[in-house]
Amino acid sequence: MDRALRVVLSTNGTKPEPRTIIFLIDATPSLAKTGFVNELEGALAENAKQLGKALIGIASVGETRLTLSPTNDHRQVVLEMQALLRRGKNSVRNIYGSVRRFSGMLRGQQRRKDMVLVTLENGDAEDDLPGSVAALRASRVRLSVIARESYLADSYWNKRKRYLRNTRSVMVPKDCEMIGGDNAFIDMPWGWLFQVTTINEVIPSGFAAYGLTRLAAATKGVVCLYSPPGAAKHVCAVYGQCLFCEGDHIPNGEAYSSHKLAKLAPKATSRKVVYRDAARSPYHRATTAAWRAAAKAGVLFTTPSLRLAGTTALEDRNRGGRDLEFFRSLALERHARKAEDAADECTKIINRLEGAISKASKQQPPDRHRAMAMLTRFYLYLTRTNLISFAGWCREDALNIVERIYLPDPPEIPIVGDDEKIYSINYTNLCLCHGVQPFFAVRLPGGKDTRRELLALHKVVREFMREYRDTPYAVAVHRAGLARFSMRHGGGPRPRRRPSSKAKKGPLTDGRGRPPRKGGATTGGAASGPTTGK
Amino acid sequence: MRHVWSILLIVGTAPAQDLFQLVADLDHKDRKKSAAAYRALAKDKPKRALQLLFLQLPKHGFTGQNYGMLLLEKTYTGKVRRKGLGKFAKSDSRFLAACSATILFREGNSKVLPQLVGAMRAQKVSVTERITMVKRVQGITNPEVLAAIRENLTPGVNRRLLTAVLDSMWRTQDSQGIGIVEKLLRHRKTTVSAQGLCAAYLVARGGHVHGPALAKILADAQAISTSIRTYVERIRRPTHVVLDGLTAHVRKTKKILSMRWALDFLRKNHHRNLLPLLRETTLRKNETIARTALAILAQNPEDLPPKDLRKMLASEKPIVALFAAKQLRRRDDLSGFPRALELAKREDKDMDKYRVEAVKVLGGYREDRAVQPLIDLLKNKNASVRSTAVKQLNYVLADLFPYRRFDFSKTGYTATGSAMKRRAGIETIQKWWDDNKD
């Protein structure tokens, strides 16, 4: 935070220059916790000479008036900031509306105008991004941002679109759409079969949310990323399991390299231009084609967010992929056959994608689109391995469990107890954080076929890491996982629910069928036995 | 007699007698009882206890008066309380006067300022009372109160009182006191630990000219006190001089906590000499010190390139070699396995205290080659080694065979079981492994 403030407060020259700086603060408890006020106090004291002719004001996101009109009294700035952060609350806020409002207030001033937007929680609720850019440009305000890192092609809000429409727990400001992610659109396929973690929602991208980056880039401002202490702590698997460490892994290739990140940066131009560039990129076209084919084959649950049309692209809604229905029944042989068919489909898609990538690499230098294409290739290989392993599991282990054929010797014990019921198929992930090689020692189902797939996957991962180590894409590979299948099982036979009657203690039946009714039928006539409903 | 009647009027009933006892217990010699009485009164907030407090507190000693004032400050409100506090502010008891005046002053009654300042400046007050008085007025920015706090900074001042005064001055960022603290630092009567505190305070307030003085005190100290640590941690961008002082302290000290803190602080501030210092510390004879240094080394993997770790693997010290093997394994480098295995198998007595650690390191390798040695270690004479081995074996097998479930108790093997049962259990485990390893 200290460094970020020094960057945003510094001037180009050494001489003090007449400036107006507005701190637009998204006051949240998380920002207060960073010690922002202390850091601001320190930064103001350090740059006191340079800020000699500067007037500093404070505005709060969501409010209509300035919290503190521009002043040269730094002490007052610090005190007001302290008071503002003490009032901070967590809520979804429209930052872009506030940017437009307060930049309008600065219009007409002859001094150099700077706005420093500080937001750690928001930025993903977009209303009118082009309008905000236009407002800043019209007022000649340079906007710098201090924000948190966003996730790589974040799909979180897209996945929860329907939930957002129906819930009241997330109050989205009027006219806003929840977007998020470092890019103008979701360019990384998400919702892969047999993956517990949607990697788009867990991989820090190294960039701020697209909307914030766009505002800063359009006004020649800077974006500083804040990372809370402890955020860099490594976790092998977010929701899955790691077989090869005790949570003490020191991964290789996860420290982001700035020069590599710069080459893979998302475009900060307007959405229209980003879409056009994507449509023209052979890599992106290859990824989109593979994405659609994979969705059709049932190995991806989503469809691309852009529809390519000639040399441009249009936004498209997620239509969902085909469901292979592996988790609804215990038809194991059918599942195995379907998995093998899907694996064959994967092979076809991989071949087409690899052809397109090799063709494209002659036309275009490597960029983000290529990284996405390569990542898609990796995921196709991984999914194929999982499908083969699944087919093997259905034919070996699952059958043993369902039929209760295999009686293990100690120290091994049966996976499902004799009195337990099996409901359906389930899976978890064994993360690839330590690479594919350690899995050669692990007994996975599918025998030689799985081993062959593992070898192919190992080769792909090695190639991928050579090119993308120390980037978010390497982390994306590490967080992906081989599937470990299991049976959803539990309990014995479910106890029958007792009717709410006085005779709670006695058994419902005497074990020899239902007791005869007393009092006879309700419609008159002779007493009869129990009715069957027929 | 009049007093007795008034108490009877207030108390009246049987539970009120309990109240009377509770208020009396606030000044009990047994600290636990006085604390319990305070907690009981603070929880129930009985209205009738208010009058009792005003009657009893002047007769109480420091503990009772302190608890009583806390109750009056935090638990009660209203006119009766205000009136009583007003009376206390004018009383002869300096402590009660200062505390009551502080409460009223904080609530906006500025008329009590003369009483507050007068009580703060009074001579016949014990050190403990004075410290509590200073702590109570912390945060009040009135110049007269600040001046009264500063007056405590005299040569030969009690160390605890000095800490309380400096804390108060830090909180209000009192700049007028800096000169006095500087004088105190140079005064011959000031003890070394007080000098350290003063120097740390001054450097934390931005007086980097006092850095060399602080560095010297830190370097010479056997242990760094918590209050000095607090101020050293408050220094924005500590200079190399201060950090070098801490480096010298680490080399000299035998106090683990102090050393650990100093090393952590040096690490946070990216000190240039940290790495050689840590390596040097790992070679110290004291096992705990060496372990501490290794643990800090492990926190920053960049400080230990694999090349250095491989060198450490060959170390004669088992603790260093095992550390290196574990660190390499954490980086997916399995070259430490043979050394870990060798150490786990070594039979000599010197190795006894490291064997459990060796078994743990061995169990970290999720590989087939780790299984047989672990099965062999189930036969070890030491029950802790056996217990660790069976635990690690469970982890290794569960990870190598993710589609199977294990329960070692089904084999009859327990680390503390009879030798015969253990032998039978090991045989079963061995048989299973021979059948399933390929």
Side-chain angles (χ1 to χ4, degrees), chain A residues 60-190:
Chain A
S60 173
V61 171
E63 285 180 15
T64 48
R65 286 182 182 181
L66 284 171
T67 310
L68 174 71
S69 300
T71 171
N72 54 8
D73 182 356
H74 292 178
R75 183 80 199 145
Q76 206 184 341
V77 171
V78 171
L79 289 174
E80 280 295 333
M81 190 68 81
Q82 208 163 20
L84 176 62
L85 289 186
R86 218 173 282 150
R87 298 196 297 267
K89 277 180 188 167
N90 277 326
S91 58
V92 181
R93 293 188 191 126
N94 179 5
I95 282 174
Y96 303 90
S98 296
V99 166
R100 289 196 297 275
R101 175 179 297 277
F102 293 114
S103 64
M105 283 185 187
L106 291 172
R107 193 177 287 187
Q109 283 192 22
Q110 292 306 307
R111 309 157 69 91
R112 193 183 130 184
K113 289 160 278 187
D114 282 295
M115 191 180 281
V116 181
L117 169 62
V118 187
T119 174
L120 298 189
E121 301 295 337
N122 287 298
D124 44 6
E126 275 188 30
D127 68 337
D128 181 10
L129 186 57
S132 307
V133 170
L136 283 168
R137 279 181 176 160
S139 312
R140 295 188 177 175
V141 175
R142 191 181 79 149
L143 183 114
S144 296
V145 179
I146 299 175
R148 264 199 196 168
E149 205 171 354
S150 73
Y151 293 113
L152 185 68
D154 193 1
S155 60
Y156 183 88
W157 293 117
N158 195 308
K159 198 172 168 182
R160 288 156 182 85
K161 256 183 184 169
R162 191 183 294 169
Y163 166 75
L164 275 177
R165 271 199 297 272
N166 300 331
T167 187
R168 285 187 175 187
S169 59
V170 182
M171 296 299 285
V172 181
K174 206 181 159 193
D175 301 329
C176 278
E177 193 187 351
M178 301 303 290
I179 296 179
D182 62 333
N183 196 23
F185 67 101
I186 303 171
D187 50 350
M188 183 160 80
W190 55 283

Side-chain angles (χ1 to χ4, degrees), chain B residues 197-414:
Chain B
L197 192 56
C198 290
Y201 174 82
L202 289 168
V203 179
R205 289 290 304 268
H208 286 290
V209 281
H210 301 286
L214 176 63
K216 193 176 177 303
I217 294 163
L218 293 175
D220 294 342
Q222 278 298 326
I224 301 171
S225 67
T226 319
S227 43
I228 295 182
R229 284 183 216 167
T230 311
Y231 286 110
V232 173
E233 277 170 2
R234 284 173 178 168
I235 301 172
R236 276 174 77 93
R237 299 198 196 108
T239 56
H240 282 301
V241 182
V242 175
L243 297 177
D244 287 341
L246 277 176
T247 310
H249 171 72
V250 171
R251 286 206 175 98
K252 193 182 167 191
T253 188
K254 285 176 186 168
K255 306 279 179 191
I256 304 292
L257 283 178
S258 188
M259 192 193 73
R260 190 192 292 265
W261 170 81
L263 285 172
D264 262 336
F265 186 77
L266 289 169
R267 191 176 60 83
K268 272 181 206 159
N269 288 286
H270 313 288
H271 186 43
R272 58 191 172 182
N273 292 338
L274 178 65
L275 203 55
L277 176 69
L278 279 171
R279 290 202 179 144
E280 193 185 309
T281 316
T282 57
L283 301 175
R284 276 173 69 167
K285 274 187 184 173
N286 187 323
E287 197 80 356
T288 325
I289 289 179
R291 271 180 202 273
T292 308
L294 287 171
I296 291 170
L297 258 180
Q299 283 174 15
N300 202 2
E302 288 153 23
D303 290 345
L304 276 175
K307 209 171 84 183
D308 291 2
L309 282 172
R310 279 188 212 111
K311 269 186 200 167
M312 283 167 85
L313 262 184
S315 168
E316 281 179 14
K317 277 191 150 190
I319 184 182
V320 175
L322 288 171
F323 169 81
K326 187 179 173 186
Q327 293 309 314
L328 283 168
R329 199 262 307 146
R330 286 178 66 193
R331 295 158 196 226
D332 299 322
D333 181 341
L334 308 183
S335 59
F337 179 81
R339 180 75 171 131
L341 182 61
E342 181 203 322
L343 289 169
K345 278 186 169 177
R346 226 165 78 180
E347 288 294 331
D348 54 322
K349 267 196 174 179
D350 295 347
M351 191 55 208
D352 277 356
K353 57 180 173 181
Y354 306 111
R355 194 161 289 114
V356 171
E357 178 77 21
V359 176
K360 276 186 193 167
V361 173
L362 199 62
Y365 294 90
R366 304 295 201 255
E367 289 210 320
D368 282 6
R369 57 180 172 161
V371 177
Q372 191 56 54
L374 285 171
I375 295 176
D376 294 342
L377 280 161
L378 295 178
K379 298 169 195 162
N380 196 280
K381 285 179 278 180
N382 188 332
S384 337
V385 174
R386 291 198 298 268
S387 164
T388 314
V390 77
K391 208 170 164 187
Q392 294 300 326
L393 188 64
N394 202 349
Y395 291 150
V396 174
L397 288 183
D399 286 351
L400 289 179
F401 296 85
Y403 286 87
R404 310 224 183 155
R405 269 173 86 192
F406 297 94
D407 183 355
F408 282 81
S409 63
K410 297 279 175 199
T411 62
Y413 184 91
T414 47

Side-chain angles (χ1 to χ4, degrees), chain B residues 76-182:
Chain B
Y76 293 101
T77 50
K79 235 181 188 178
V80 181
R81 168 186 167 268
R82 258 204 314 277
K83 264 190 178 177
L85 284 174
K87 274 185 189 172
F88 273 170
K90 289 171 193 163
S91 75
D92 293 338
S93 163
R94 294 299 177 187
F95 182 66
L96 281 184
C99 293
S100 315
T102 308
I103 296 169
L104 292 171
F105 189 78
R106 281 191 196 278
E107 287 171 1
N109 183 355
S110 52
K111 284 179 190 169
V112 290
L113 186 63
Q115 282 97 327
L116 172 58
V117 176
M120 294 278 296
R121 284 182 170 151
Q123 293 300 314
K124 287 178 184 172
V125 179
S126 74
V127 174
T128 319
E129 283 178 340
R130 199 174 286 281
I131 291 168
T132 316
M133 278 154 71
V134 171
K135 281 183 180 170
R136 284 273 165 89
V137 295
Q138 257 188 26
I140 295 178
T141 49
N142 183 287
E144 285 181 55
V145 178
L146 293 181
I149 294 172
R150 284 195 297 267
E151 279 176 19
N152 291 303
L153 294 174
T154 50
V157 60
N158 177 285
R159 174 76 162 65
R160 278 167 49 228
L161 179 58
L162 176 65
T163 310
V165 172
L166 292 182
D167 279 350
S168 176
M169 281 168 56
W170 176 271
R171 204 164 150 191
T172 49
Q173 291 290 300
D174 181 7
S175 45
Q176 287 187 40
I178 288 179
I180 305 170
V181 181
E182 279 173 344

Side-chain angles (χ1 to χ4, degrees), chain A residues 113-395:
Chain A
K113 289 160 278 187
D114 282 295
M115 191 180 281
V116 181
L117 169 62
V118 187
T119 174
L120 298 189
E121 301 295 337
N122 287 298
D124 44 6
E126 275 188 30
D127 68 337
D128 181 10
L129 186 57
S132 307
V133 170
L136 283 168
R137 279 181 176 160
S139 312
R140 295 188 177 175
V141 175
R142 191 181 79 149
L143 183 114
S144 296
V145 179
I146 299 175
R148 264 199 196 168
E149 205 171 354
S150 73
Y151 293 113
L152 185 68
D154 193 1
S155 60
Y156 183 88
W157 293 117
N158 195 308
K159 198 172 168 182
R160 288 156 182 85
K161 256 183 184 169
R162 191 183 294 169
Y163 166 75
L164 275 177
R165 271 199 297 272
N166 300 331
T167 187
R168 285 187 175 187
S169 59
V170 182
M171 296 299 285
V172 181
K174 206 181 159 193
D175 301 329
C176 278
E177 193 187 351
M178 301 303 290
I179 296 179
D182 62 333
N183 196 23
F185 67 101
I186 303 171
D187 50 350
M188 183 160 80
W190 55 283
W192 290 93
L193 179 68
F194 297 136
Q195 294 302 316
V196 179
T197 314
T198 305
I199 49 159
N200 307 47
E201 294 171 16
V202 295
I203 313 293
S205 65
F207 297 95
Y210 165 76
L212 301 178
T213 314
R214 170 78 189 126
L215 288 183
T219 57
K220 293 180 181 169
V222 288
V223 178
C224 298
L225 296 181
Y226 171 75
S227 175
K233 194 182 177 303
H234 171 74
V235 182
C236 282
V238 181
Y239 298 116
Q241 181 193 354
C242 178
L243 289 187
F244 309 107
C245 73
E246 293 141 5
D248 57 357
H249 186 210
I250 301 168
N252 211 348
E254 287 197 6
Y256 292 0
S257 140
S258 50
H259 80 272
K260 277 191 175 180
L261 273 185
K263 280 181 189 168
L264 301 170
K267 295 256 163 60
T269 48
S270 71
R271 275 210 164 83
K272 210 172 157 187
V273 177
V274 175
Y275 292 171
R276 193 192 63 205
D277 288 351
R280 287 176 183 174
S281 164
Y283 290 119
H284 182 73
R285 284 186 166 271
T287 307
T288 308
W291 190 342
R292 274 193 204 288
K296 207 174 164 190
V299 296
L300 248 175
F301 303 133
T302 60
T303 51
S305 46
L306 286 189
R307 186 157 40 91
L308 304 177
T311 52
T312 187
L314 303 165
E315 279 176 25
D316 198 5
R317 69 181 169 84
N318 176 18
R319 290 161 202 276
R322 189 180 138 209
D323 187 359
L324 292 175
E325 298 180 349
F326 286 144
F327 312 109
R328 291 188 192 174
S329 72
L330 292 171
L332 296 171
E333 184 51 38
R334 197 153 58 100
H335 287 336
R337 266 186 276 124
K338 266 200 287 184
E340 281 165 350
D341 292 347
D344 290 342
E345 279 299 312
C346 274
T347 311
K348 285 178 198 164
I349 301 167
I350 288 170
N351 291 340
R352 282 202 295 271
L353 179 64
E354 283 179 343
I357 289 173
S358 67
K359 216 174 175 184
S361 55
K362 289 168 196 162
Q363 300 168 13
Q364 207 173 326
D367 59 356
R368 181 181 169 101
H369 294 308
R370 178 180 160 82
M372 291 301 179
M374 295 298 279
L375 197 64
T376 309
R377 175 179 174 245
F378 155 75
Y379 262 99
L380 284 165
Y381 270 96
L382 176 66
T383 310
R384 193 173 71 179
T385 311
N386 282 335
L387 284 164
I388 296 293
S389 168
F390 180 64
W393 179 78
C394 285
R395 291 196 175 116

